[in-house]
Amino acid sequence: MRREFTSSSSPADRRLNALVRHLATASIESRTAVAFSPTSGFHGDSVFSHVVRAPEDPILGVTVAYNKDPSPVKLNLGVGAYRTEEGKPLVLNVVRKAEQMLLNDRSRVKEYLPIVGIADFNKLSAKLIFGADSPAIRENRVTTVQCLSGTGSLRVGAEFMARHYHQKTIYIPQPTWGNHPKIFTLAGLSVKTYRYYDPNTRGLNFQGLLEDLGSAPSGSIVLLHACAHNPTGVDPTLQQWEQIRQLMRSKTLLPFFDSAYQGFASGSLDQDAQSIRMFVADGGECFVAQSYAKNMGLYGERVGALSVVCKTAEVASRVESQLKLVIRPMFSNPPIHGASIVATILKDSNMFNEWTIELKAMADRIKSMRGQLFDALRTRGTPGDWSHIIKQIGMFTFTGLNSKQVEFMTREYHIYMTSDGRISMAGLSSKTVPHLADAIHAAVTHLGQNNS
Amino acid sequence: MAIRRAFSGRIVDRTAVVGARYMSSWWRSVQPAPKDPILGVTEAFLADPNPDKVNVGVGAYRDDNGKPVVLECVREAERRIAGNLNMEYLPMGGSVNMVEETLKLAYGENSELIKDKRIAAVQALSGTGACRLLADFQKRFCPESQIYIPVPTWSNHHNIWRDAQVPQKTYHYYHPESKGLDFAAMIDDIKNAPNGSFFLLHACAHNPTGVDPTEEQWREISHHIKAKGHFAFFDMAYQGFASGDPERDAKSIRIFLEDGHHIGIAQSYAKNMGLYGQRVGCLSVLCEDEKQAVAVKSQLQQLARPMYSNPPVHGALIVSTILGDPDLKKLWLKEVKVMADRIIGMRTALRGNLEKLGSPLSWQHVTNQIGMFCYSGMTPEQVDRLTNEFHIYMTRNGRISMAGVTTGNVEYLANAIHQVTKSA
């Protein structure tokens, strides 16, 4: 057992002596007394000595590996954080402006927010996703609580369902964001999958989706990516969404929307919210997790919102009170900074417009990268059909490359991406597209056509 | 059918979507939750129009004008941060800089343990988040263990370990008759708990009682906890705030470290840096060696990832900016002492006023107790009278947040307390 005394041992010795003296006179029953010395009575084992090291998070681990690589041509296409043409992170001008406004307002304080967060932020977030004229909002049937970005909103919603909903199974698309199953499992739900991605077409397996949702037990929870599916970039068409909605309502399946890319997918906030609004318009209930990480570039500030659309205002009020019981023992109340920025922007029509313009610029740059990569592969005569690159939508492209090909690209070309073949288009620039195209070309020609 | 139609309030259009309008809410059996006992007090206070109202409920610092305070060192840090840095995701374990500085505060500026990299530490969502992560970690890796929580304690402690599904027991702490520490009973409880139990200890400025063990008592507590192989988990939410000296306020922790315990610590910057709403804190677990610390940290991150992925950056930047700059750190230490001193001054004033009013009761505990809170000893009924008759808001356990007491309201408060207790 190590002695943790400081370098000058005499104060420690003095303390030790004092304690020994104290014990000699203390009223401790002799039969329970333990001879005190630093090396006895305490076996020195940590109660956590059996804990083994956890594997790296597959997504965040990519950036860790990238950072370690000294190569000057390395490319990080792992985590979905937007980069400019210069490969730099971007803080939106309108965000900087909002931050300055907050900073200059000396009357602002840092008090605890209410458990549910900033009231303005919640109302404005609901308006943003459901539409200002949404009947659900007008009828007060929506409760919205501020949470820690998309992750936090999903977790709080799932914990609520695990406590209050009669069905404890959630169906998630195959594939989905790697963190989804962990969130739901830890919240106390059991996780099943429904078919989603068709590797052959690199598009939607719509038949499979309908079959799997159709055979789910009545009342099951279904996770839906509102737009810009992560990791595939494959979204249902509006007609397909309508069919999904009808099926789900007929089977009383509960929709849980994950909206992490509103405005980022098509460039239009309203268009990217269509799927959700369709469901709300039919008068039914649903959960929505909103994130401002990407569309406002607020990643590390952890800004998001969970909305629950209920049948009546009275139910919404009760639901909100129970959501608070989930939040209080998790983090008590949400962080103030990022949500203040969002509220500042959303409530000012000029700033809101500025935001939509900057948002569209990000979305357009991504679309341009898609076009450039597609053209570059075509120019190189890379074998295979690469049209999915321009058909898929949002930040990610599911290239169809298999893990061996990915490994090859990392080793030989210093391209960092997740092993499922997902690349973040936001990490590309006109300058780096040729390098990526070379890497894909080499991987496909050396290791055969992708079969995944 | 008819009931459902009435519920949805309109006639179903059969040619439109099937199903949705027929259904009543999935949540119709959800019960309204009770209000949080602490945060509900402020809500009630805000709703009260009476001009004499006093809020001595939630533990958030107020200056002598009853106003919330943003520390100057914090304002300066924010000026430096704004416009300079991006808002990228922090690692899952949070800001490395912030965590490093935070460990120094708890473990000592020159701690060998830090140098030896034996401490697994992650940024957490203030004290609540740190406790929750530890509770989830305990559930996952010591599933047979239970947590011993002092009576009384911050009410949210019970919620946290309950939601983490860790069985809880209590240990004696507050002695109502003396309004001090029930030391003998506390030691008994430590001895009687099954070996290897987890003990939640308030490092300083116990919430809600303000009653702390003496240094000698801490040494004995440490000795008995060690004899039973218990895990000591310190919730330190008031370092610097209790005595005005952060080093002094960490004494209990340092005693345990000297005794060789592998402790855990939840640290919060909510009060001592006034960063309440920023949610900045740290969870640390002292391990046998660096390898184990790496393993434990990785597992803590596995619990954080499905909860919030990575912690908020802004508050962490404020902390690391302040603690990383010697001048700003000095300013912070000065400002913390000012806050602590004002509270100590208010304790003296409140006790003095009560004694001047000729209260038949002893109010010694008001100045014996330490930190933000005073456990007045008033009953829930007396508290209700304070609220209904005098518009004074506090939690029904009789806990007074001294931070809400000012030279402007201390006489009014003393008089009200005297009125409801003089015939007790």
Side-chain angles (χ1 to χ4, degrees):
Chain A
M1 179 63 227
R2 280 174 70 138
R3 286 162 62 108
E4 297 303 343
F5 293 123
T6 56
S7 51
S8 71
S9 62
S10 55
D13 286 343
R14 282 202 296 278
R15 281 193 286 273
L16 191 53
N17 291 333
L19 185 52
V20 168
R21 266 183 276 121
H22 173 81
L23 285 175
T25 56
S27 58
I28 299 173
E29 294 299 322
S30 53
R31 58 187 152 86
T32 58
V34 176
F36 177 74
S37 88
T39 54
S40 79
F42 184 63
H43 301 292
D45 275 357
S46 162
V47 296
F48 299 120
S49 48
H50 59 291
V51 171
V52 294
R53 185 171 183 171
E56 281 280 8
D57 181 281
I59 302 172
L60 304 176
V62 169
T63 295
V64 170
Y66 167 85
N67 286 335
K68 289 200 182 117
D69 186 334
S71 163
V73 300
K74 63 180 179 176
L75 199 50
N76 188 356
L77 303 179
V79 79
Y82 183 80
R83 293 287 177 266
T84 61
E85 257 290 311
E86 294 71 38
K88 299 262 177 295
L90 176 67
V91 178
L92 302 187
N93 281 331
V94 73
V95 166
R96 287 250 178 265
K97 219 187 275 190
E99 246 200 335
Q100 272 305 318
M101 284 169 62
L102 294 171
L103 190 66
N104 295 336
D105 182 358
R106 269 199 75 102
S107 72
R108 280 188 62 79
V109 293
K110 298 196 174 305
E111 294 293 282
Y112 290 126
L113 290 179
I115 298 176
V116 298
I118 301 177
D120 275 354
F121 167 84
N122 291 334
K123 281 200 180 56
L124 291 163
S125 294
K127 266 178 59 179
L128 182 65
I129 192 69
F130 299 118
D133 54 353
S134 172
I137 294 180
R138 265 190 284 115
E139 293 158 20
N140 264 317
R141 296 191 283 112
V142 183
T143 170
T144 305
V145 297
Q146 183 188 335
C147 293
L148 283 110
S149 209
T151 306
S153 306
L154 290 164
R155 176 64 178 266
V156 169
E159 294 252 349
F160 175 86
M161 288 174 184
R163 287 170 208 210
H164 297 284
Y165 191 51
H166 62 281
Q167 271 282 15
K168 315 285 188 209
T169 305
I170 183 163
Y171 284 77
I172 64 180
Q174 183 81 284
T176 193
W177 180 45
N179 205 19
H180 276 143
K182 295 181 196 160
I183 295 170
F184 299 128
T185 303
L186 269 155
L189 298 176
S190 69
V191 176
K192 291 207 157 77
T193 59
Y194 61 91
R195 279 169 287 170
Y196 190 83
Y197 179 69
D198 184 349
N200 298 318
T201 61
R202 294 197 196 90
L204 182 64
N205 180 355
F206 193 47
Q207 247 339 94
L209 182 156
L210 291 176
E211 277 172 29
D212 288 348
L213 292 190
S215 59
S218 186
S220 302
I221 309 158
V222 179
L223 177 75
L224 301 163
H225 295 225
C227 70
H229 179 271
N230 176 3
T232 68
V234 169
D235 284 349
T237 62
L238 281 181
Q239 289 80 357
Q240 289 171 326
W241 270 121
E242 171 60 19
Q243 274 183 269
I244 294 169
R245 185 191 61 78
Q246 285 190 24
L247 172 63
M248 284 184 61
R249 293 311 198 191
S250 71
K251 301 230 39 177
T252 65
L253 302 175
L254 175 60
F256 197 166
F257 283 97
D258 185 352
S259 173
Y261 300 97
Q262 188 189 6
F264 217 103
S266 67
S268 155
L269 289 160
D270 289 326
Q271 196 171 320
D272 289 347
Q274 286 286 69
S275 57
I276 292 175
R277 295 183 189 180
M278 211 183 271
F279 274 73
V280 174
D282 70 13
E285 298 180 318
C286 67
F287 279 54
V288 179
Q290 258 173 296
S291 165
Y292 289 96
K294 285 86 172 172
N295 62 10
M296 259 204 213
L298 292 174
Y299 306 93
E301 303 292 350
R302 318 310 294 127
V303 202
L306 170 72
S307 285
V308 184
V309 179
C310 306
K311 270 296 188 169
T312 67
E314 201 266 325
V315 168
S317 165
R318 280 189 271 130
V319 165
E320 180 169 306
S321 73
Q322 291 289 347
L323 288 172
K324 284 155 88 167
L325 293 193
V326 170
I327 291 170
R328 176 61 159 151
M330 208 184 275
F331 52 88
S332 281
N333 38 71
I336 188 173
H337 191 70
S340 304
I341 293 174
V342 172
T344 302
I345 293 171
L346 293 184
K347 70 161 70 129
D348 178 310
S349 55
N350 288 331
M351 292 179 87
F352 184 90
N353 284 332
E354 270 187 64
W355 174 47
T356 60
I357 292 168
E358 289 191 85
L359 182 50
K360 186 160 192 318
M362 289 195 286
D364 285 348
R365 195 182 89 67
I366 295 206
K367 283 195 200 140
S368 153
M369 290 302 103
R370 289 184 178 280
Q372 288 185 33
L373 180 60
F374 176 73
D375 288 342
L377 290 171
R378 215 176 29 180
T379 309
R380 284 161 180 67
T382 308
D385 175 8
W386 298 97
S387 61
H388 54 284
I389 292 179
I390 44 180
K391 284 195 222 149
Q392 290 167 6
I393 190 170
M395 201 179 285
F396 301 110
T397 291
F398 223 39
T399 56
L401 296 162
N402 61 40
S403 55
K404 278 201 164 47
Q405 291 164 325
V406 169
E407 204 190 346
F408 172 88
M409 286 166 61
T410 306
R411 213 175 49 242
E412 304 295 327
Y413 287 81
H414 308 276
I415 309 275
Y416 289 84
M417 54 197 279
T418 48
S419 59
D420 57 3
R422 181 191 88 165
I423 53 176
S424 170
M425 303 308 288
L428 278 175
S429 70
S430 315
K431 284 195 285 291
T432 55
V433 162
H435 180 60
L436 175 62
D438 289 340
I440 294 176
H441 186 84
V444 167
T445 51
H446 286 181
L447 294 174
Q449 283 224 12
N450 24 304
N451 303 319
S452 58
Chain B
M1 250 347 179
I3 296 170
R4 283 189 180 142
R5 242 181 250 178
F7 204 90
S8 67
R10 56 190 106 188
I11 295 170
V12 174
D13 177 2
R14 286 183 196 281
T15 63
V17 180
V18 181
R21 293 190 204 281
Y22 270 115
M23 295 177 311
S24 59
S25 172
W26 278 301
W27 317 111
R28 62 187 181 281
S29 56
V30 168
Q31 295 305 307
K35 279 201 179 305
D36 183 281
I38 302 172
L39 303 177
V41 169
T42 294
E43 278 181 30
F45 168 82
L46 290 171
D48 184 336
N50 187 287
D52 293 328
K53 64 181 180 178
V54 175
N55 186 0
V56 283
V58 78
Y61 182 78
R62 296 284 177 271
D63 64 14
D64 200 46
N65 298 314
K67 296 271 176 286
V69 171
V70 178
L71 302 185
E72 274 312 311
C73 61
V74 169
R75 289 208 189 277
E76 175 55 28
E78 282 205 299
R79 270 193 290 270
R80 295 187 195 180
I81 294 166
N84 284 338
L85 296 161
N86 58 55
M87 291 168 173
E88 294 291 282
Y89 291 127
L90 282 176
M92 279 183 286
S95 158
V96 169
N97 277 347
M98 190 279 264
V99 168
E100 264 173 27
E101 292 296 336
T102 303
L103 292 182
K104 284 192 213 159
L105 281 179
Y107 292 85
E109 184 79 28
N110 299 310
S111 166
E112 292 296 315
L113 306 169
I114 298 179
K115 295 201 182 98
D116 292 345
K117 302 199 181 168
R118 284 181 50 190
I119 306 173
V122 295
Q123 181 184 338
L125 294 156
S126 209
T128 306
C131 287
R132 176 59 179 267
L133 272 185
L134 189 284
D136 282 349
F137 184 72
Q138 177 184 358
K139 175 69 182 174
R140 183 172 271 195
F141 290 100
C142 295
E144 309 302 313
S145 69
Q146 42 200 4
I147 182 87
Y148 279 76
I149 295 181
V151 178
T153 193
W154 179 48
S155 57
N156 205 25
H157 278 143
H158 294 290
N159 300 331
I160 290 169
W161 269 271
R162 181 204 61 222
D163 275 16
Q165 293 171 38
V166 172
Q168 6 185 317
K169 290 239 158 60
T170 58
Y171 63 90
H172 288 84
Y173 190 83
Y174 181 67
H175 193 239
E177 288 75 27
S178 63
K179 296 193 185 68
L181 182 63
D182 194 350
F183 186 56
M186 177 179 177
I187 296 294
D188 274 347
D189 286 343
I190 292 172
K191 283 152 76 171
N192 293 329
N195 290 359
S197 296
F198 281 52
F199 269 76
L200 173 69
L201 304 162
H202 295 226
C204 64
H206 181 271
N207 176 0
T209 68
V211 170
D212 285 350
T214 63
E215 204 177 303
E216 285 310 309
Q217 287 173 326
W218 273 122
R219 292 188 191 284
E220 231 184 287
I221 293 166
S222 167
H223 163 69
H224 288 286
I225 285 185
K226 188 164 167 174
K228 298 283 300 186
H230 294 325
F231 179 83
F233 182 57
F234 285 93
D235 186 352
M236 182 157 67
Y238 299 98
Q239 188 183 13
F241 216 102
S243 69
D245 176 3
E247 279 300 291
R248 207 169 126 191
D249 289 345
K251 191 63 187 170
S252 58
I253 287 174
R254 305 291 169 83
I255 287 171
F256 273 65
L257 292 174
E258 280 163 23
D259 285 352
H261 293 268
H262 292 128
I263 62 175
I265 308 178
Q267 285 170 269
S268 165
Y269 287 102
K271 287 85 173 169
N272 63 10
M273 243 189 230
L275 294 177
Y276 306 94
Q278 305 286 353
R279 318 313 292 129
V280 204
C282 178
L283 168 68
S284 60
V285 177
L286 175 59
C287 303
E288 286 162 10
D289 53 35
E290 181 179 352
K291 179 158 173 260
Q292 190 186 86
V294 167
V296 168
K297 178 178 170 172
S298 74
Q299 294 293 351
L300 290 173
Q301 290 177 175
Q302 289 289 303
L303 290 164
R305 176 60 158 154
M307 203 186 288
Y308 49 85
S309 280
N310 38 70
V313 64
H314 189 78
L317 276 176
I318 295 175
V319 173
S320 54
T321 301
I322 291 173
L323 296 184
D325 175 320
D327 290 332
L328 277 184
K329 183 169 179 178
K330 235 194 295 192
L331 175 58
W332 171 57
L333 290 170
K334 223 173 63 170
E335 291 188 278
V336 165
K337 189 160 191 322
V338 165
M339 292 195 284
D341 285 348
R342 193 184 89 68
I343 296 208
I344 292 169
M346 287 300 101
R347 288 184 178 278
T348 307
L350 180 60
R351 174 180 167 183
N353 272 284
L354 284 164
E355 288 168 352
K356 212 165 53 169
L357 287 164
S359 170
L361 305 171
S362 165
W363 296 98
Q364 232 186 338
H365 53 287
V366 172
T367 47
N368 284 343
Q369 291 166 5
I370 190 169
M372 200 179 289
F373 301 111
C374 164
Y375 222 43
S376 62
M378 286 188 287
T379 65
E381 293 70 36
Q382 289 168 332
V383 170
D384 288 343
R385 279 191 63 196
L386 278 182
T387 306
N388 297 331
E389 295 172 36
F390 296 91
H391 306 275
I392 293 174
Y393 290 82
M394 54 197 283
T395 47
R396 290 185 87 234
N397 54 9
R399 180 191 88 164
I400 299 174
S401 172
M402 295 309 296
V405 181
T406 68
T407 51
N409 65 24
V410 65
E411 279 180 40
Y412 178 79
L413 177 63
N415 178 59
I417 292 175
H418 179 58
Q419 293 304 320
V420 309
T421 58
K422 62 185 179 184
S423 51

